Amino acid sequence: MRLATWNVNSIRSRLDRVVGWLDQADIDVLALQETKCRDDQFPAERFEAAGYEVAHVGFSQWNGVAIASRIGLDEVEIAFPGQPGFDKDAETSLLAAPVVEARAIGATCGGVRVWSLYVPNGRTLTDPHYAYKLEWLAALRDTGARWLAEDPAAQIALVGDWNIAPTDADVWSPEFFRGRTHVSQPERDAFNAIAAAGFTDVMRPFAPGPGVYTYWDYTQLRFPRKEGMRIDFILASPALAARTTDATVDREQRKGKAPSDHAPVVAEFADR
């Protein structure tokens, strides 16, 4: 099984690139983030024509996650249990209800429970979105730990754009990012707590870094200057992690005309 995750930064803008890459890279399951469209705008027919079933959730031009699979797409679930919402009007209204955003979708593909996740950005260390990010990650940790407690042999993949660089080796300049989101200790602690719950970063053994990045900002020529961040991950449950045979970043997909600012992460798992 070849599983990939890719923040495409608008599926409608990258559709030809993404569908072409699926065939080129021989991908069985692709988790997408930042599709930036409503469900009725998602180009499912292009994926279906290529032999993939698709599940998507998107409410507006923001966020949006999807899973495309050619090996089955069963038990689709929007939002993980306990996923918190974000009250964007919290500072001006005590009556506003938190909105559960389009940031998580799960499906069983070839016997593996795949979750496509778009972790909140955090914005700044003092922004309400930062507290929301930590709450969101804590809820995911609790839910993931419960899944493994209920079934230690579960085949689960938590994949996507985590908006966290877990170590200094995962950013081009620790000094540049000092005092910013993505590298703060609470964020790193939240990421490590999910690892402690039993989920393994399957790519780290194959590409320990430094200099192995998945995201390069569009500004300041970050990509040609190799000034990136590693913030996209495939975290696998113990039973699934044990099947890992390879994992890599397809850096070539950050090149060319109108690329996403992220590159896809691909992991390969042996048959059971």
Side-chain angles (χ1 to χ4, degrees), residues 4-118:
T5 182
W6 195 356
N7 178 322
V8 292
N9 192 16
S10 175
I11 185 58
R12 289 177 292 173
S13 298
R14 325 273 177 227
L15 182 58
D16 289 342
R17 177 187 285 263
V18 171
V19 173
W21 180 77
L22 280 171
D23 179 63
Q24 169 199 326
D26 193 25
I27 300 300
D28 293 312
V29 182
L30 173 62
L32 299 166
Q33 301 86 43
E34 270 203 286
T35 57
K36 293 186 174 180
C37 64
R38 302 187 309 268
D39 288 346
D40 64 301
Q41 297 172 316
F42 187 87
E45 65 282 352
R46 285 290 301 277
F47 288 89
E48 292 164 357
Y52 291 81
E53 297 177 83
V54 183
H56 173 264
V57 58
F59 306 133
S60 66
Q61 75 272 29
W62 308 112
N63 308 321
V65 287
I67 299 172
S69 172
R70 66 181 184 185
I71 58 172
L73 191 76
D74 302 311
E75 301 172 293
V76 174
E77 187 175 358
I78 295 171
F80 60 82
Q83 180 178 325
F86 179 59
D87 184 357
K88 64 185 179 63
D89 298 316
E91 294 182 345
T92 58
S93 173
L94 297 176
L95 301 178
V99 175
V100 176
E101 299 176 308
R103 292 185 176 274
I105 189 168
T108 301
C109 309
V112 176
R113 189 66 177 164
V114 177
W115 281 92
S116 179
L117 306 170
Y118 180 41

Side-chain angles (χ1 to χ4, degrees), residues 1-4 25-31 67-72 107-115 155-157 159 234 240 243-246 266-272:
M1 173 182 178
R2 283 175 61 81
L3 168 64
D26 193 25
I27 300 300
D28 293 312
V29 182
L30 173 62
I67 299 172
S69 172
R70 66 181 184 185
I71 58 172
T108 301
C109 309
V112 176
R113 189 66 177 164
V114 177
W115 281 92
Q155 306 275 329
I156 304 172
V159 311
I234 295 175
L240 181 60
R243 296 168 51 195
T244 311
T245 59
D246 194 20
V266 183
E268 190 157 352
F269 302 97
D271 293 338
R272 285 184 284 177

Side-chain angles (χ1 to χ4, degrees), residues 52-248:
Y52 291 81
E53 297 177 83
V54 183
H56 173 264
V57 58
F59 306 133
S60 66
Q61 75 272 29
W62 308 112
N63 308 321
V65 287
I67 299 172
S69 172
R70 66 181 184 185
I71 58 172
L73 191 76
D74 302 311
E75 301 172 293
V76 174
E77 187 175 358
I78 295 171
F80 60 82
Q83 180 178 325
F86 179 59
D87 184 357
K88 64 185 179 63
D89 298 316
E91 294 182 345
T92 58
S93 173
L94 297 176
L95 301 178
V99 175
V100 176
E101 299 176 308
R103 292 185 176 274
I105 189 168
T108 301
C109 309
V112 176
R113 189 66 177 164
V114 177
W115 281 92
S116 179
L117 306 170
Y118 180 41
V119 176
N121 179 285
R123 300 175 184 169
T124 71
L125 300 183
T126 58
D127 194 285
H129 210 256
Y130 179 76
Y132 165 54
K133 179 179 189 175
L134 297 179
E135 180 187 9
W136 202 95
L137 289 162
L140 178 61
R141 174 205 63 212
D142 292 347
T143 297
R146 187 175 72 253
W147 287 333
L148 294 183
E150 293 171 349
D151 182 5
Q155 306 275 329
I156 304 172
L158 306 179
V159 311
D161 177 359
W162 293 76
N163 273 314
I164 299 171
T167 74
D168 283 352
D170 297 318
V171 295
W172 65 271
S173 170
E175 184 59 36
F176 175 84
F177 288 100
R178 198 174 308 281
R180 302 174 186 233
T181 58
H182 293 55
V183 302
S184 72
Q185 197 57 52
E187 289 167 287
R188 288 178 169 179
D189 289 347
F191 185 92
N192 290 334
I194 293 171
F199 293 90
T200 300
D201 170 10
V202 299
M203 199 181 79
R204 185 76 69 181
F206 297 93
V212 179
Y213 305 134
T214 64
Y215 165 84
W216 300 260
D217 196 295
Y218 288 127
T219 65
Q220 304 297 316
L221 298 175
R222 296 292 186 211
F223 183 70
R225 292 167 61 177
K226 301 181 180 179
E227 296 176 350
M229 307 177 72
R230 186 166 181 248
I231 58 175
D232 302 85
F233 297 91
I234 295 175
L235 301 189
S237 63
L240 181 60
R243 296 168 51 195
T244 311
T245 59
D246 194 20
T248 187

